[in-house]
Coordinates of all heavy atoms in Angstrom, one line a residue:
M1 N 106.4 101.6 128.4 CA 105.0 101.3 128.8 C 105.0 100.9 130.2 O 105.9 100.3 130.8 CB 104.5 100.1 127.9 CG 104.2 100.5 126.5 SD 103.8 99.0 125.5 CE 102.1 99.0 125.6
T2 N 103.8 101.1 130.9 CA 103.7 100.7 132.3 C 103.1 99.3 132.4 O 102.5 98.8 131.5 CB 102.8 101.7 133.0 OG1 101.5 101.6 132.5 CG2 103.4 103.1 132.9
D3 N 103.3 98.7 133.5 CA 102.7 97.4 133.8 C 101.3 97.5 134.3 O 100.6 96.5 134.5 CB 103.6 96.6 134.7 CG 104.9 96.2 134.1 OD1 105.0 96.0 132.9 OD2 105.9 96.1 134.9
K4 N 100.8 98.7 134.6 CA 99.5 99.0 135.1 C 98.5 98.7 134.0 O 98.6 99.1 132.9 CB 99.4 100.4 135.5 CG 98.5 100.7 136.6 CD 98.7 102.2 137.0 CE 97.9 102.5 138.2 NZ 98.0 103.9 138.6
T5 N 97.4 98.0 134.4 CA 96.4 97.7 133.4 C 95.1 98.3 133.8 O 94.8 98.6 135.0 CB 96.1 96.2 133.2 OG1 95.8 95.6 134.5 CG2 97.4 95.5 132.7
K6 N 94.2 98.5 132.9 CA 92.9 99.1 133.1 C 91.9 98.4 132.3 O 92.2 98.1 131.1 CB 93.0 100.6 132.8 CG 91.8 101.4 133.2 CD 92.0 102.9 132.9 CE 91.6 103.7 134.0 NZ 91.7 105.1 133.8
K7 N 90.7 98.1 132.8 CA 89.7 97.4 132.1 C 88.8 98.5 131.3 O 88.4 99.4 131.9 CB 88.8 96.6 133.0 CG 87.8 95.7 132.3 CD 87.1 94.8 133.2 CE 86.2 93.9 132.5 NZ 85.6 92.9 133.3
L8 N 88.7 98.2 130.0 CA 87.8 99.1 129.2 C 86.7 98.3 128.6 O 86.8 97.2 128.3 CB 88.7 99.7 128.1 CG 89.9 100.6 128.4 CD1 90.6 101.0 127.2 CD2 89.4 101.8 129.2
E9 N 85.6 99.0 128.4 CA 84.5 98.4 127.7 C 84.3 99.1 126.4 O 84.1 100.3 126.3 CB 83.2 98.6 128.5 CG 83.2 97.7 129.8 CD 81.8 97.8 130.5 OE1 80.8 98.0 129.8 OE2 81.8 97.6 131.7
I10 N 84.6 98.3 125.3 CA 84.5 98.8 124.0 C 83.7 97.8 123.1 O 83.7 96.6 123.4 CB 85.8 99.1 123.3 CG1 86.7 97.9 123.3 CG2 86.5 100.3 124.1 CD1 88.0 98.1 122.6
S11 N 83.1 98.3 122.1 CA 82.3 97.4 121.2 C 83.2 96.6 120.3 O 84.4 97.0 120.1 CB 81.3 98.2 120.4 OG 82.0 99.0 119.4
Q12 N 82.7 95.6 119.7 CA 83.5 94.8 118.7 C 83.9 95.7 117.5 O 85.0 95.6 117.0 CB 82.6 93.6 118.2 CG 83.4 92.7 117.3 CD 84.6 92.1 117.9 OE1 84.5 91.6 119.1 NE2 85.7 92.0 117.2
S13 N 83.0 96.6 117.1 CA 83.4 97.4 115.9 C 84.5 98.4 116.3 O 85.4 98.7 115.5 CB 82.2 98.2 115.4 OG 81.7 99.1 116.4
E14 N 84.5 98.9 117.6 CA 85.6 99.7 118.0 C 86.9 98.9 118.1 O 88.0 99.4 117.8 CB 85.3 100.4 119.4 CG 84.2 101.4 119.3 CD 83.7 101.8 120.7 OE1 83.6 101.0 121.6 OE2 83.3 103.0 120.8
L15 N 86.8 97.7 118.6 CA 88.0 96.8 118.7 C 88.6 96.6 117.3 O 89.8 96.6 117.1 CB 87.6 95.5 119.4 CG 88.7 94.6 119.8 CD1 89.7 95.3 120.8 CD2 88.2 93.4 120.4
D16 N 87.7 96.3 116.3 CA 88.1 96.1 114.9 C 88.8 97.4 114.4 O 89.8 97.3 113.7 CB 87.0 95.7 114.0 CG 86.4 94.3 114.3 OD1 87.2 93.5 114.9 OD2 85.3 94.0 113.9
L17 N 88.3 98.5 114.7 CA 88.8 99.8 114.2 C 90.2 100.0 114.8 O 91.2 100.4 114.1 CB 87.9 101.0 114.6 CG 88.4 102.4 114.2 CD1 88.5 102.5 112.7 CD2 87.5 103.4 114.8
I18 N 90.4 99.7 116.1 CA 91.7 99.8 116.7 C 92.7 98.8 116.1 O 93.8 99.2 115.8 CB 91.6 99.5 118.2 CG1 90.8 100.6 118.9 CG2 93.0 99.3 118.9 CD1 90.4 100.3 120.4
A19 N 92.3 97.6 115.8 CA 93.1 96.6 115.2 C 93.5 97.0 113.8 O 94.7 96.9 113.4 CB 92.5 95.2 115.2
N20 N 92.6 97.6 113.0 CA 92.9 98.1 111.7 C 93.9 99.2 111.7 O 94.8 99.3 110.9 CB 91.6 98.5 111.0 CG 90.8 97.4 110.5 OD1 91.3 96.2 110.4 ND2 89.5 97.6 110.3
A21 N 93.8 100.1 112.7 CA 94.7 101.2 112.8 C 96.1 100.7 113.2 O 97.1 101.2 112.7 CB 94.2 102.2 113.9
L22 N 96.2 99.7 114.1 CA 97.4 99.1 114.4 C 98.1 98.4 113.3 O 99.3 98.4 113.1 CB 97.3 98.1 115.6 CG 96.9 98.8 117.0 CD1 96.6 97.7 118.0 CD2 98.1 99.6 117.4
E23 N 97.3 97.8 112.4 CA 97.9 97.1 111.2 C 98.5 98.2 110.3 O 99.6 98.0 109.7 CB 96.8 96.4 110.4 CG 96.4 95.1 111.1 CD 95.3 94.3 110.4 OE1 94.7 94.9 109.4 OE2 94.9 93.2 110.8
T24 N 97.8 99.3 110.1 CA 98.3 100.4 109.3 C 99.6 101.0 109.9 O 100.6 101.2 109.2 CB 97.3 101.5 109.2 OG1 96.1 101.0 108.6 CG2 97.8 102.7 108.4
Q25 N 99.6 101.1 111.2 CA 100.8 101.6 111.9 C 102.0 100.7 111.7 O 103.1 101.1 111.6 CB 100.5 101.9 113.4 CG 101.7 102.5 114.1 CD 101.9 103.9 113.7 OE1 101.1 104.6 113.2 NE2 103.2 104.4 113.9
T26 N 101.7 99.3 111.8 CA 102.7 98.3 111.5 C 103.3 98.5 110.2 O 104.6 98.4 110.0 CB 102.1 96.9 111.7 OG1 101.6 96.8 113.0 CG2 103.1 95.8 111.4
K27 N 102.5 98.7 109.2 CA 103.0 98.9 107.8 C 103.9 100.1 107.7 O 105.0 100.1 107.1 CB 101.9 99.0 106.8 CG 101.1 97.7 106.6 CD 100.0 97.9 105.7 CE 99.1 96.6 105.6 NZ 98.0 96.8 104.7
I28 N 103.5 101.2 108.3 CA 104.3 102.4 108.3 C 105.6 102.2 109.0 O 106.7 102.6 108.5 CB 103.5 103.6 109.0 CG1 102.3 104.0 108.1 CG2 104.4 104.8 109.2 CD1 101.3 104.9 108.8
L29 N 105.6 101.6 110.2 CA 106.8 101.4 110.9 C 107.8 100.4 110.2 O 109.0 100.5 110.3 CB 106.5 100.9 112.4 CG 105.9 102.0 113.3 CD1 105.4 101.4 114.5 CD2 106.9 103.0 113.6
N30 N 107.2 99.4 109.5 CA 108.0 98.5 108.7 C 108.8 99.3 107.7 O 110.0 99.0 107.5 CB 107.1 97.5 108.0 CG 107.1 96.1 108.7 OD1 108.1 95.7 109.3 ND2 106.0 95.4 108.6
M31 N 108.1 100.2 107.0 CA 108.8 101.0 106.0 C 109.9 101.9 106.6 O 111.0 102.0 106.1 CB 107.8 101.9 105.3 CG 106.8 101.1 104.4 SD 107.5 100.3 103.1 CE 107.8 101.6 102.0
Q32 N 109.6 102.5 107.8 CA 110.6 103.3 108.4 C 111.8 102.5 108.9 O 112.9 102.9 108.8 CB 109.9 104.1 109.6 CG 109.0 105.1 109.2 CD 108.2 105.8 110.4 OE1 108.3 105.3 111.5 NE2 107.6 106.9 110.1
A33 N 111.5 101.3 109.5 CA 112.6 100.5 110.0 C 113.5 100.0 108.8 O 114.7 100.0 108.9 CB 112.0 99.3 110.7
S34 N 112.8 99.6 107.7 CA 113.6 99.2 106.6 C 114.5 100.3 105.9 O 115.5 100.1 105.3 CB 112.7 98.5 105.5 OG 111.9 99.5 104.9
A35 N 114.0 101.5 106.2 CA 114.8 102.7 105.7 C 115.8 103.2 106.7 O 116.5 104.2 106.5 CB 113.8 103.8 105.3
G36 N 115.9 102.5 107.8 CA 116.9 102.8 108.8 C 116.5 103.8 109.8 O 117.3 104.4 110.5
G37 N 115.2 104.0 110.0 CA 114.6 104.9 110.9 C 115.0 104.6 112.3 O 114.9 103.4 112.8
H38 N 115.6 105.5 113.1 CA 116.0 105.3 114.4 C 114.8 105.1 115.3 O 113.8 105.8 115.4 CB 116.8 106.5 115.0 CG 118.0 106.7 114.2 ND1 119.1 105.9 114.1 CD2 118.4 107.8 113.4 CE1 120.0 106.3 113.3 NE2 119.6 107.5 112.8
G39 N 114.8 104.0 116.1 CA 113.7 103.7 117.0 C 112.5 103.0 116.4 O 111.6 102.6 117.1
A40 N 112.4 103.0 115.0 CA 111.2 102.4 114.4 C 111.1 100.9 114.7 O 110.0 100.5 114.8 CB 111.3 102.7 112.9
L41 N 112.2 100.2 114.7 CA 112.1 98.8 115.0 C 111.5 98.5 116.4 O 110.7 97.6 116.5 CB 113.4 98.1 114.8 CG 113.5 96.6 114.8 CD1 112.5 96.0 113.8 CD2 114.9 96.1 114.6
A42 N 112.0 99.2 117.4 CA 111.5 99.0 118.7 C 110.0 99.4 118.8 O 109.2 98.6 119.4 CB 112.3 99.9 119.7
K43 N 109.6 100.5 118.2 CA 108.2 100.9 118.2 C 107.4 99.8 117.4 O 106.3 99.5 117.8 CB 108.1 102.2 117.5 CG 106.8 102.9 117.7 CD 106.5 103.3 119.1 CE 105.3 104.2 119.2 NZ 105.0 104.5 120.6
L44 N 107.9 99.3 116.3 CA 107.2 98.3 115.5 C 106.9 97.1 116.4 O 105.8 96.5 116.4 CB 108.1 97.9 114.3 CG 107.6 96.7 113.5 CD1 106.2 97.1 112.8 CD2 108.6 96.4 112.4
N45 N 107.9 96.6 117.2 CA 107.7 95.5 118.0 C 106.6 95.7 119.1 O 105.8 94.9 119.4 CB 109.0 95.1 118.7 CG 110.0 94.4 117.7 OD1 109.6 93.9 116.7 ND2 111.3 94.6 117.9
E46 N 106.6 96.9 119.6 CA 105.6 97.3 120.6 C 104.2 97.2 120.0 O 103.3 96.7 120.6 CB 105.8 98.7 121.1 CG 107.0 98.8 122.1 CD 107.2 100.3 122.6 OE1 106.2 101.0 122.6 OE2 108.3 100.6 122.8
V47 N 104.1 97.8 118.8 CA 102.8 97.8 118.1 C 102.3 96.4 117.7 O 101.2 96.1 117.9 CB 102.8 98.7 116.8 CG1 101.6 98.6 116.0 CG2 103.1 100.2 117.2
K48 N 103.3 95.6 117.3 CA 102.9 94.2 117.0 C 102.4 93.4 118.2 O 101.5 92.7 118.2 CB 104.1 93.4 116.4 CG 104.4 93.8 114.9 CD 105.5 93.0 114.4 CE 105.8 93.2 112.9 NZ 106.9 92.4 112.4
R49 N 103.1 93.7 119.4 CA 102.6 93.0 120.6 C 101.2 93.5 121.0 O 100.3 92.7 121.4 CB 103.6 93.3 121.8 CG 104.8 92.4 121.8 CD 105.6 92.5 123.1 NE 106.1 93.9 123.3 CZ 107.3 94.3 122.8 NH1 108.1 93.4 122.2 NH2 107.8 95.5 123.1
L50 N 101.0 94.8 120.8 CA 99.7 95.4 121.2 C 98.6 94.8 120.2 O 97.5 94.5 120.6 CB 99.7 96.9 121.1 CG 98.4 97.6 121.4 CD1 97.9 97.2 122.8 CD2 98.6 99.1 121.4
L51 N 98.9 94.7 118.9 CA 98.0 94.2 117.9 C 97.6 92.7 118.3 O 96.5 92.3 118.2 CB 98.6 94.2 116.5 CG 97.7 93.7 115.4 CD1 96.4 94.4 115.4 CD2 98.4 93.9 114.1
A52 N 98.6 91.9 118.7 CA 98.4 90.5 119.1 C 97.5 90.5 120.3 O 96.5 89.7 120.4 CB 99.7 89.8 119.4
T53 N 97.7 91.4 121.3 CA 96.8 91.5 122.5 C 95.4 91.8 122.1 O 94.4 91.2 122.5 CB 97.3 92.5 123.5 OG1 98.7 92.1 123.8 CG2 96.5 92.6 124.7
V54 N 95.2 92.8 121.3 CA 93.9 93.3 120.8 C 93.2 92.2 120.1 O 92.0 91.9 120.3 CB 94.0 94.6 120.0 CG1 92.7 94.9 119.3 CG2 94.4 95.7 120.9
S55 N 93.9 91.5 119.2 CA 93.3 90.5 118.3 C 92.9 89.3 119.2 O 91.9 88.6 118.9 CB 94.3 90.0 117.3 OG 94.6 91.1 116.4
S56 N 93.7 88.9 120.2 CA 93.4 87.8 121.0 C 92.2 88.0 121.9 O 91.5 87.1 122.4 CB 94.6 87.4 121.9 OG 94.8 88.3 122.9
Q57 N 91.9 89.3 122.2 CA 90.7 89.6 123.1 C 89.4 89.9 122.3 O 88.4 90.1 122.9 CB 91.1 90.8 124.0 CG 92.2 90.5 124.9 CD 92.5 91.6 125.9 OE1 91.7 92.5 126.0 NE2 93.6 91.5 126.5
A58 N 89.5 89.8 121.0 CA 88.3 90.0 120.2 C 87.3 88.8 120.4 O 87.8 87.7 120.6 CB 88.7 90.1 118.7
D59 N 86.0 89.1 120.3 CA 85.0 88.0 120.5 C 85.1 87.0 119.3 O 84.8 85.9 119.5 CB 83.6 88.7 120.5 CG 83.4 89.4 121.8 OD1 84.1 89.1 122.8 OD2 82.5 90.2 121.8
K60 N 85.4 87.5 118.1 CA 85.4 86.6 117.0 C 86.6 87.0 116.2 O 87.2 88.1 116.3 CB 84.2 86.8 116.1 CG 84.0 88.3 115.6 CD 82.7 88.5 114.9 CE 82.7 90.0 114.5 NZ 81.5 90.3 113.8
P61 N 87.1 86.0 115.4 CA 88.3 86.3 114.6 C 88.0 87.4 113.6 O 86.9 87.5 113.0 CB 88.6 85.0 113.8 CG 87.8 84.0 114.5 CD 86.7 84.7 115.2
R62 N 88.9 88.4 113.5 CA 88.6 89.5 112.6 C 89.0 89.1 111.2 O 90.0 88.4 110.9 CB 89.6 90.7 112.9 CG 89.2 91.4 114.1 CD 90.1 92.6 114.4 NE 91.5 92.5 114.0 CZ 91.9 93.0 112.8 NH1 91.2 93.7 112.0 NH2 93.2 92.9 112.5
A63 N 88.2 89.5 110.2 CA 88.6 89.3 108.8 C 89.5 90.4 108.4 O 89.3 91.5 108.7 CB 87.3 89.3 107.9
R64 N 90.6 90.0 107.8 CA 91.6 91.0 107.4 C 91.0 91.8 106.3 O 90.2 91.3 105.5 CB 92.9 90.3 106.9 CG 93.7 89.8 108.0 CD 95.1 89.4 107.5 NE 95.7 90.5 106.8 CZ 96.7 91.2 107.3 NH1 97.1 91.0 108.6 NH2 97.3 92.2 106.6
R65 N 91.4 93.1 106.3 CA 90.9 94.0 105.2 C 91.5 93.5 103.9 O 92.6 93.1 103.8 CB 91.4 95.4 105.5 CG 90.7 96.0 106.7 CD 91.3 97.4 106.9 NE 92.7 97.3 107.2 CZ 93.5 98.4 107.2 NH1 93.1 99.6 106.9 NH2 94.8 98.2 107.6
P66 N 90.6 93.6 102.9 CA 91.2 93.2 101.6 C 92.3 94.2 101.2 O 92.2 95.4 101.4 CB 90.0 93.4 100.6 CG 88.8 93.4 101.5 CD 89.2 93.9 102.9
E67 N 93.3 93.6 100.6 CA 94.5 94.4 100.2 C 94.2 95.5 99.2 O 94.9 96.4 98.9 CB 95.6 93.5 99.8 CG 96.2 92.7 100.9 CD 96.7 93.5 102.1 OE1 97.4 94.5 101.9 OE2 96.6 93.0 103.2
T68 N 93.0 95.3 98.5 CA 92.7 96.2 97.4 C 92.0 97.5 98.0 O 91.8 98.4 97.2 CB 91.7 95.6 96.4 OG1 90.5 95.1 97.2 CG2 92.3 94.4 95.7
N69 N 91.8 97.6 99.3 CA 91.2 98.8 99.8 C 92.2 99.7 100.3 O 93.3 99.3 100.7 CB 90.3 98.4 101.0 CG 89.0 97.7 100.6 OD1 88.6 97.8 99.4 ND2 88.3 97.1 101.5
G70 N 91.9 101.0 100.4 CA 92.7 102.0 101.0 C 93.9 102.4 100.1 O 94.0 102.1 99.0
L71 N 94.8 103.1 100.7 CA 96.0 103.7 100.0 C 96.9 102.6 99.5 O 97.4 102.7 98.4 CB 96.7 104.6 101.0 CG 98.0 105.2 100.4 CD1 97.7 106.1 99.2 CD2 98.7 106.0 101.5
W72 N 97.1 101.5 100.3 CA 98.0 100.4 99.9 C 97.4 99.8 98.6 O 98.2 99.5 97.7 CB 98.2 99.4 101.0 CG 98.9 100.0 102.2 CD1 98.4 100.3 103.4 CD2 100.3 100.4 102.3 NE1 99.3 100.8 104.2 CE2 100.5 100.9 103.5 CE3 101.3 100.3 101.4 CZ2 101.7 101.3 104.0 CZ3 102.6 100.8 101.8 CH2 102.8 101.3 103.1
G73 N 96.1 99.5 98.6 CA 95.5 98.9 97.4 C 95.6 99.8 96.2 O 95.9 99.3 95.1
L74 N 95.4 101.1 96.4 CA 95.5 102.1 95.3 C 96.9 102.1 94.8 O 97.1 102.0 93.5 CB 95.1 103.5 95.8 CG 95.3 104.6 94.8 CD1 94.3 104.4 93.6 CD2 95.0 105.9 95.4
L75 N 97.9 102.2 95.6 CA 99.3 102.2 95.2 C 99.7 100.9 94.5 O 100.4 100.9 93.5 CB 100.3 102.5 96.4 CG 100.2 103.8 97.0 CD1 101.0 103.9 98.3 CD2 100.5 104.9 96.0
R76 N 99.2 99.8 95.0 CA 99.5 98.5 94.4 C 98.9 98.4 93.0 O 99.5 97.9 92.1 CB 99.0 97.4 95.3 CG 99.5 96.0 94.9 CD 99.2 95.0 96.0 NE 100.1 95.1 97.1 CZ 99.8 95.2 98.3 NH1 98.5 95.2 98.7 NH2 100.7 95.3 99.3
S77 N 97.6 98.9 92.9 CA 97.0 98.8 91.6 C 97.6 99.8 90.6 O 97.7 99.5 89.4 CB 95.5 99.2 91.7 OG 95.3 100.5 92.1
I78 N 98.1 100.9 91.0 CA 98.8 101.9 90.1 C 100.1 101.2 89.6 O 100.5 101.3 88.4 CB 99.1 103.2 90.8 CG1 97.8 103.9 91.0 CG2 100.1 104.0 90.0 CD1 98.0 105.2 91.9
G79 N 100.8 100.5 90.5 CA 102.1 99.9 90.2 C 101.8 98.7 89.2 O 102.6 98.5 88.3
E80 N 100.7 98.0 89.3 CA 100.4 96.9 88.4 C 100.0 97.4 87.0 O 100.2 96.8 86.0 CB 99.3 96.1 89.0 CG 99.7 95.3 90.2 CD 98.5 94.6 90.9 OE1 97.4 94.7 90.4 OE2 98.8 93.9 91.9
A81 N 99.4 98.7 87.0 CA 98.9 99.2 85.7 C 100.1 99.7 84.8 O 99.9 99.9 83.6 CB 97.9 100.3 86.0
T82 N 101.2 100.0 85.4 CA 102.3 100.6 84.6 C 103.2 99.5 84.0 O 103.2 98.4 84.4 CB 103.2 101.5 85.5 OG1 103.7 100.8 86.6 CG2 102.4 102.7 85.9

């Protein structure tokens, strides 16, 4: 990553969308790192730092997505049903 910064104007909903995508990427990289994926841990740390930066610059605290939504919630509910 470069040390160069650029100011962007984005809406709160766009900022939330970016943060949600980074949370999903964090989950994926966690799985890859735990499976021994080369470079996944370094990338995971970068994504976590970026997520912290995005979250700290939000106008209001973001509500975390309910765990019952999306693929993770579906997989979790299937696992509980068996």
Side-chain angles (χ1 to χ4, degrees):
M1 289 176 94
T2 64
D3 292 330
K4 208 174 190 183
T5 60
K6 189 177 225 181
K7 186 173 182 173
L8 299 174
E9 291 187 28
I10 57 173
S11 69
Q12 184 62 42
S13 62
E14 291 170 325
L15 192 59
D16 289 342
L17 180 64
I18 292 167
N20 286 338
L22 290 171
E23 286 177 357
T24 301
Q25 186 66 26
T26 298
K27 291 176 184 179
I28 293 167
L29 288 168
N30 257 329
M31 295 294 284
Q32 290 176 345
S34 67
H38 300 294
L41 187 57
K43 191 71 166 175
L44 174 62
N45 290 332
E46 288 179 29
V47 171
K48 283 183 177 181
R49 277 193 297 274
L50 181 56
L51 179 58
T53 300
V54 168
S55 296
S56 72
Q57 293 184 16
D59 288 340
K60 59 183 178 184
R62 287 184 327 102
R64 286 191 53 102
R65 292 180 293 169
E67 294 297 324
T68 56
N69 288 346
L71 178 62
W72 294 109
L74 176 63
L75 293 175
R76 193 170 282 130
S77 66
I78 291 171
E80 291 171 0
T82 56

